[in-house]
Amino acid sequence: MFADFPFLSILTLLPLVGAIVVALIPRQKSELAKTVALGWSLVVLVLSVVMWIAFKTGGDRFQFHESYAWIPSWDARFTFAADGIALVMLMLIAILFPVVILASWHDVEQSKRSAPAYFALLLVFEFTMIGVFAAADVFLFYVFFEVMLIPMYFIIGSFGGQRRQYAAVKFFLYSLVGGLFMLAAVIGLWVVGGNTFDFGKLTEIAGSIDQNTARWLFLGFFVAFAIKAPFFPFHTWLPDAGGAAPAGAAALLVGVMDKVGTFGILRYCLPLFPEASRWFAPAALVLGVIGIIYAALLAVGQNDLKRLVSYTSIAHFGFIGIGIFAFTSQAGTGSVLYMVNHGLATGLLFIVVGMFVARRGSNLISDFGGAGKLVPVLAGVFFFAGLASLALPGTAPFISEFLVLIGTFTVHPAYAVVATGGIILAAAYVLWMVQRTTQGTLNPALTEVPEMRKDITLREKVVVAPLILLIILLGFYPKPVTDVINPAVQATMQDVGVQDPGPTAVVANERVAR
């Protein structure tokens, strides 16, 4: 029924058209601009759900394939296709954007800036995010990879909080430097790959690329993706950007945009440079483990709520990294599932933090204290979001974190054991954050802020409810998502030339003795 329907091209262009419509709405009609932006994002969500239903888990690895002429002399085309990894990320985008738009309903009014401009930028950002995950041409991917910096740069720089201009410039420069590494690698890949950017053709000749050349090309892509993710030690832009961005934009920054880095490693680094991926794996594992512990320790000492959540994300990306480079199907599936679950849990946490900040007018934990006595329901949602972030059993992140650790332990037990220490630290920084913000003695200054007496509103309930439901549902029944992810992960592992480990030597020896 949907075999020839151009899902991905329409899905990509819809937010761009919506952004143009919203941008043309006069500034004084802010309610209309917000309503149109929300409605447009819901249309994208509906189309994404239809595409999810149409996807065949037992079918071809890449589905919804489309290809249109672009630059014939370079063999660059507007080629779109989605495997299971891309599909779950597209679905995450479709879910988060209407939630963030609704959560940001009054943010721009408080800053006295243009609502149509802000919500148009959000839709442009959605356009670039969908494009980067849907692209199946290396050059098209690179274009979306670079263009997505522009809307987020203006969102942070024009609508952010204190030090927004510094954070926006730092974010842009870090990403631009990573993009330059990637551009050099893209050009090199075109030269050694037979003058084509077609992903399918490049994977066919991946094994014939000279070993040293492949390692350099891998490094060019990896540095760009490691900065975007961000992995240690390329992470320093995220706390500044996450701390300065509006809460909704920060939820998209860590919930969706950062996943471009880990997605890029899975989609491009591993299949195109299999030998180089195996050769760099030990270093990547070390960086992942360091990132988990280092970021968790820094999170414990933070007094800024948004910077604290940003540091927790760096630790979570360390788990995703070790899951990717463990090269087992369990760890790989766990990493992709972690990308989805982290987007839901950390997106919820950032949004709830934004609700507290909007009421108090401050990001600082020390300006709260006992806030749960004034806003008990909001404090309860905050506590739930924190528990999901630390991967409490029964929440979605627990499943993905468990898969990553058990899949890594089968081949690299030392890394898995050290990474497990990050779970203990996660409990420390999350519970300490909740304790200092909502529990304990009530800060007398809070009673003097009228907004702090307003508990969660109906609009805010509508914002958090779908994320809470998804976190609980995927915490107990992740099968609908893992069924989509598994075939793509297994195909990626085959591209790298690795297999899941068999029975351990101990078990084998016992059987021989018997």
Side-chain angles (χ1 to χ4, degrees):
M1 178 179 178
F2 299 107
D4 299 322
F5 189 79
F7 276 108
L8 293 174
S9 57
I10 293 177
L11 194 68
T12 303
L13 291 175
L14 262 179
L16 180 61
V17 176
I20 295 172
V21 173
V22 173
L24 293 175
I25 296 175
R27 179 172 180 171
Q28 59 270 25
K29 297 184 178 180
S30 61
E31 289 298 315
L32 177 61
K34 291 184 281 190
T35 303
V36 171
L38 177 61
W40 219 284
S41 66
L42 289 173
V43 172
V44 174
L45 174 59
V46 171
L47 183 59
S48 300
V49 171
V50 174
M51 187 172 69
W52 180 278
I53 295 171
F55 186 84
K56 299 177 182 178
T57 54
D60 295 337
R61 176 181 179 182
F62 290 97
Q63 301 178 35
F64 313 118
H65 188 275
E66 302 174 51
S67 189
Y68 310 99
W70 186 17
I71 311 175
S73 59
W74 296 356
D75 196 25
R77 300 177 62 86
F78 287 107
T79 302
F80 300 99
D83 62 355
I85 300 172
L87 183 65
V88 295
M89 294 311 303
L90 291 171
M91 199 67 214
L92 177 64
I93 292 169
I95 291 169
L96 281 182
F97 268 87
V99 168
V100 166
I101 289 173
L102 191 57
S104 307
W105 206 256
H106 299 302
D107 290 356
V108 181
E109 295 172 359
Q110 294 172 353
S111 63
K112 298 181 180 180
R113 298 185 179 96
S114 171
Y118 180 73
F119 289 97
L121 284 170
L122 284 180
L123 289 175
V124 172
F125 187 53
E126 185 176 22
F127 154 69
T128 61
M129 287 292 93
I130 293 174
V132 81
F133 288 111
D137 178 278
V138 176
F139 188 71
L140 180 63
F141 173 84
Y142 170 75
V143 171
F144 277 115
F145 183 86
E146 292 290 75
V147 172
M148 70 181 177
L149 304 179
I150 298 173
M152 185 54 70
Y153 168 79
F154 283 108
I155 288 172
I156 298 173
S158 299
F159 299 92
Q162 295 180 352
R163 292 169 59 87
R164 60 180 179 271
Q165 294 180 351
Y166 167 80
V169 170
K170 187 174 182 179
F171 157 77
F172 192 85
L173 289 178
Y174 264 68
S175 299
L176 186 63
V177 169
L180 292 176
F181 276 96
M182 184 176 170
L183 177 60
V186 166
I187 295 172
L189 183 62
W190 183 81
V191 172
V192 303
N195 299 345
T196 183
F197 289 114
D198 183 84
F199 178 75
K201 295 178 182 177
L202 290 170
T203 53
E204 292 176 0
I205 62 170
S208 62
I209 300 176
D210 176 72
Q211 185 180 89
N212 290 330
T213 302
R215 291 178 180 179
W216 281 108
L217 294 177
F218 171 93
L219 192 60
F221 278 95
F222 179 78
V223 169
F225 296 144
I227 291 173
K228 187 66 65 187
F231 289 140
F232 175 90
F234 309 102
H235 66 282
T236 58
W237 63 268
L238 181 59
D240 292 307
L252 295 175
L253 182 68
V254 301
V256 178
M257 186 176 185
D258 289 356
K259 307 304 189 307
V260 174
T262 49
F263 171 82
I265 293 172
L266 284 162
R267 168 62 67 83
Y268 296 99
C269 286
L270 270 56
L272 295 180
F273 315 108
E275 187 278 333
S277 299
R278 298 192 299 270
W279 192 77
F280 276 99
L285 288 168
V286 170
L287 292 179
V289 170
I290 293 175
I292 292 170
I293 305 301
Y294 173 78
L297 290 173
L298 289 180
V300 172
Q302 295 300 310
N303 188 40
D304 186 304
L305 279 168
K306 292 164 73 175
R307 288 181 65 89
L308 190 155
V309 177
S310 298
Y311 275 114
T312 68
S313 295
I314 297 170
H316 293 150
F317 274 97
F319 281 104
I320 297 173
I322 65 172
I324 291 173
F325 285 97
F327 295 140
T328 67
S329 57
Q330 268 187 329
T333 297
S335 289
V336 179
L337 188 61
Y338 211 134
M339 290 160 62
V340 176
N341 294 337
H342 174 266
L344 297 173
T346 305
L348 175 63
L349 187 56
F350 251 122
I351 288 170
V352 178
V353 164
M355 294 175 183
F356 273 104
V357 171
R359 285 166 167 78
R360 182 65 177 93
S362 172
N363 298 345
L364 301 181
I365 296 175
S366 56
D367 287 337
F368 288 87
K373 294 180 173 60
L374 299 178
V375 285
V377 178
L378 184 59
V381 176
F382 181 53
F383 183 51
F384 173 83
L387 294 179
S389 180
L390 65 82
L392 184 77
T395 63
F398 170 76
I399 303 295
S400 44
E401 197 166 278
F402 179 79
L403 285 173
V404 166
L405 290 174
I406 196 171
T408 303
F409 187 83
T410 58
V411 288
H412 301 293
Y415 292 118
V417 170
V418 176
T420 304
I423 300 175
I424 301 172
L425 292 173
Y429 60 66
V430 168
L431 296 178
W432 186 235
M433 173 185 67
V434 171
Q435 171 67 27
R436 291 184 293 169
T437 305
T438 63
Q439 304 301 310
T441 305
L442 176 64
N443 183 350
L446 296 182
T447 60
E448 300 174 5
V449 182
E451 293 296 320
M452 281 302 304
R453 295 184 176 275
K454 298 178 182 179
D455 207 345
I456 191 168
T457 65
L458 177 60
R459 175 183 61 84
E460 291 170 337
K461 290 176 182 177
V462 174
V463 167
V464 302
L467 297 181
I468 292 174
L469 290 174
L470 284 171
I471 289 169
I472 295 174
L473 176 62
L474 295 179
F476 286 93
Y477 190 65
K479 188 176 185 297
V481 180
T482 55
D483 283 349
V484 172
I485 294 171
N486 276 327
V489 169
Q490 291 171 0
T492 302
M493 294 301 105
Q494 290 176 2
D495 290 338
V496 181
V498 295
Q499 295 180 344
D500 287 330
T504 63
V506 174
V507 174
N509 290 336
E510 288 179 352
R511 289 178 177 174
V512 171
R514 291 175 183 174

Coordinates of all heavy atoms in Angstrom, one line a residue, residues 46 50 87 105 108 126 143 146 158 212 233 240 262 291 332 346 363 395 405 409 432 446 448 478 489-490 495 498 512:
V46 N 2.1 12.5 12.9 CA 1.2 11.5 12.3 C 1.8 10.8 11.1 O 1.7 9.5 11.0 CB -0.1 12.2 11.9 CG1 -1.0 11.3 11.0 CG2 -0.9 12.8 13.1
V50 N 2.6 6.7 10.7 CA 2.2 5.9 9.5 C 3.4 5.2 8.9 O 3.4 4.0 8.5 CB 1.5 6.8 8.4 CG1 1.3 6.0 7.1 CG2 0.2 7.4 9.0
L87 N 15.1 4.9 11.6 CA 13.6 5.0 11.8 C 13.3 5.4 13.3 O 12.4 6.2 13.5 CB 12.9 3.7 11.5 CG 11.4 3.7 11.6 CD1 10.8 4.6 10.6 CD2 10.9 2.2 11.4
W105 N 5.6 27.3 25.2 CA 4.5 28.2 24.9 C 4.7 29.6 25.3 O 4.4 30.6 24.6 CB 3.2 27.6 25.4 CG 2.0 28.0 24.6 CD1 1.1 28.9 24.9 CD2 1.6 27.4 23.3 NE1 0.1 28.9 23.9 CE2 0.4 28.1 22.9 CE3 2.2 26.5 22.4 CZ2 -0.2 27.8 21.7 CZ3 1.5 26.2 21.3 CH2 0.4 26.8 20.9
V108 N 9.0 32.6 25.1 CA 9.4 33.7 24.3 C 8.7 35.0 24.8 O 9.3 36.1 24.8 CB 9.1 33.5 22.8 CG1 9.5 34.7 22.0 CG2 9.8 32.3 22.3
E126 N 13.9 21.1 13.0 CA 13.3 19.8 12.8 C 13.6 19.3 11.4 O 13.9 18.2 11.1 CB 11.8 19.8 13.1 CG 11.2 18.5 12.9 CD 9.7 18.5 13.3 OE1 9.1 19.6 13.3 OE2 9.2 17.4 13.7
V143 N 25.8 17.9 4.2 CA 25.2 19.2 4.0 C 24.2 19.4 5.2 O 24.2 20.5 5.8 CB 24.4 19.3 2.7 CG1 23.5 20.6 2.6 CG2 25.4 19.4 1.5
E146 N 26.0 20.1 8.5 CA 26.5 21.5 8.7 C 25.3 22.5 8.9 O 25.4 23.4 9.7 CB 27.3 21.9 7.5 CG 28.7 21.1 7.5 CD 29.6 21.5 8.6 OE1 29.4 21.1 9.7 OE2 30.6 22.3 8.3
S158 N 20.0 34.1 20.4 CA 19.0 35.1 20.4 C 18.0 34.9 21.5 O 17.4 35.9 22.0 CB 18.3 35.2 19.1 OG 19.2 35.5 18.0
N212 N 45.9 2.3 5.5 CA 46.2 3.5 6.1 C 45.3 4.7 5.7 O 44.9 5.5 6.6 CB 47.7 3.9 5.8 CG 48.7 3.0 6.4 OD1 48.5 2.5 7.5 ND2 49.8 2.8 5.8
P233 N 37.4 13.8 24.9 CA 37.5 15.1 25.6 C 36.9 16.2 24.7 O 37.4 17.3 24.8 CB 39.0 15.2 25.7 CG 39.5 14.5 24.5 CD 38.6 13.4 24.2
D240 N 28.0 24.6 28.3 CA 27.8 26.0 28.1 C 26.5 26.1 27.2 O 25.7 27.0 27.5 CB 29.0 26.6 27.4 CG 30.2 26.7 28.3 OD1 30.0 27.3 29.4 OD2 31.3 26.3 27.9
T262 N 26.5 9.8 17.4 CA 26.5 8.4 17.6 C 25.9 7.7 16.4 O 26.3 6.6 16.0 CB 25.8 8.0 18.9 OG1 24.5 8.6 19.0 CG2 26.6 8.3 20.1
G291 N 34.8 9.2 30.0 CA 33.6 10.1 29.9 C 32.6 9.8 30.9 O 32.0 10.8 31.5
G332 N 25.3 -3.3 20.9 CA 24.9 -2.4 19.8 C 23.4 -2.1 19.9 O 23.0 -0.9 19.7
T346 N 16.1 12.4 29.3 CA 16.8 13.7 29.5 C 15.9 14.8 28.9 O 16.0 15.9 29.4 CB 18.2 13.6 28.8 OG1 18.9 12.5 29.4 CG2 18.9 14.9 29.1
N363 N 18.5 29.5 37.5 CA 19.0 28.1 37.3 C 19.7 27.5 38.5 O 19.9 26.3 38.4 CB 20.0 28.1 36.1 CG 19.4 28.6 34.8 OD1 18.2 28.7 34.7 ND2 20.3 28.9 33.9
T395 N 12.2 1.8 34.3 CA 12.2 2.9 33.4 C 13.0 2.5 32.1 O 13.8 1.6 32.2 CB 12.8 4.2 34.0 OG1 14.2 3.9 34.3 CG2 12.0 4.6 35.2
L405 N 25.8 -2.9 29.1 CA 26.8 -3.4 30.1 C 26.9 -4.9 29.9 O 28.1 -5.4 29.9 CB 26.3 -3.1 31.5 CG 26.5 -1.6 31.9 CD1 25.9 -1.4 33.3 CD2 27.9 -1.2 31.9
F409 N 30.3 -6.7 28.7 CA 31.0 -7.6 29.6 C 31.4 -8.9 29.0 O 32.4 -9.4 29.4 CB 30.0 -7.9 30.8 CG 30.7 -8.6 31.9 CD1 31.5 -8.0 32.9 CD2 30.6 -10.0 32.0 CE1 32.1 -8.7 33.9 CE2 31.2 -10.7 33.0 CZ 31.9 -10.1 34.0
W432 N 21.1 13.9 44.8 CA 21.6 15.1 45.5 C 20.9 16.3 44.8 O 20.6 17.3 45.5 CB 23.1 15.2 45.3 CG 23.8 16.3 46.0 CD1 24.7 17.2 45.5 CD2 23.8 16.6 47.4 NE1 25.1 18.1 46.4 CE2 24.6 17.7 47.6 CE3 23.1 16.0 48.5 CZ2 24.8 18.3 48.9 CZ3 23.3 16.6 49.8 CH2 24.1 17.7 49.9
L446 N 11.6 31.5 48.5 CA 10.6 30.9 47.5 C 9.2 31.4 47.8 O 8.4 31.6 46.8 CB 10.7 29.4 47.6 CG 12.0 28.7 47.1 CD1 11.8 27.2 47.2 CD2 12.4 29.2 45.8
E448 N 8.3 34.3 48.6 CA 8.2 35.6 48.1 C 8.0 35.7 46.6 O 7.9 36.8 46.0 CB 9.4 36.5 48.5 CG 9.6 36.5 50.0 CD 10.9 37.2 50.5 OE1 11.5 37.7 49.5 OE2 11.2 37.2 51.7
P478 N 10.0 -3.1 25.8 CA 10.8 -2.5 24.7 C 10.7 -3.2 23.4 O 11.3 -2.7 22.4 CB 12.2 -2.4 25.3 CG 12.3 -3.7 26.1 CD 10.9 -3.9 26.7
V489 N 21.2 -3.4 13.5 CA 22.5 -3.5 14.3 C 23.2 -4.8 13.8 O 24.4 -4.8 13.7 CB 22.1 -3.6 15.8 CG1 23.3 -4.1 16.6 CG2 21.6 -2.3 16.3
Q490 N 22.5 -5.9 13.6 CA 23.2 -7.1 13.2 C 23.8 -6.9 11.8 O 24.9 -7.4 11.6 CB 22.2 -8.2 13.1 CG 21.7 -8.7 14.5 CD 20.5 -9.7 14.5 OE1 20.1 -10.0 13.4 NE2 20.1 -10.1 15.7
D495 N 28.9 -5.8 8.6 CA 29.7 -4.9 7.9 C 31.1 -4.7 8.5 O 32.1 -4.6 7.8 CB 29.0 -3.5 7.8 CG 27.8 -3.5 6.9 OD1 27.7 -4.4 6.0 OD2 26.9 -2.6 7.1
V498 N 32.5 -8.6 12.5 CA 32.6 -9.2 13.8 C 31.4 -10.1 14.1 O 30.3 -9.9 13.5 CB 32.7 -8.1 14.9 CG1 34.0 -7.4 14.7 CG2 31.5 -7.2 14.9
V512 N 34.2 -30.5 27.9 CA 35.2 -31.5 27.5 C 35.6 -32.4 28.6 O 35.7 -33.7 28.4 CB 36.5 -30.7 27.0 CG1 37.6 -31.7 26.8 CG2 36.2 -30.0 25.7

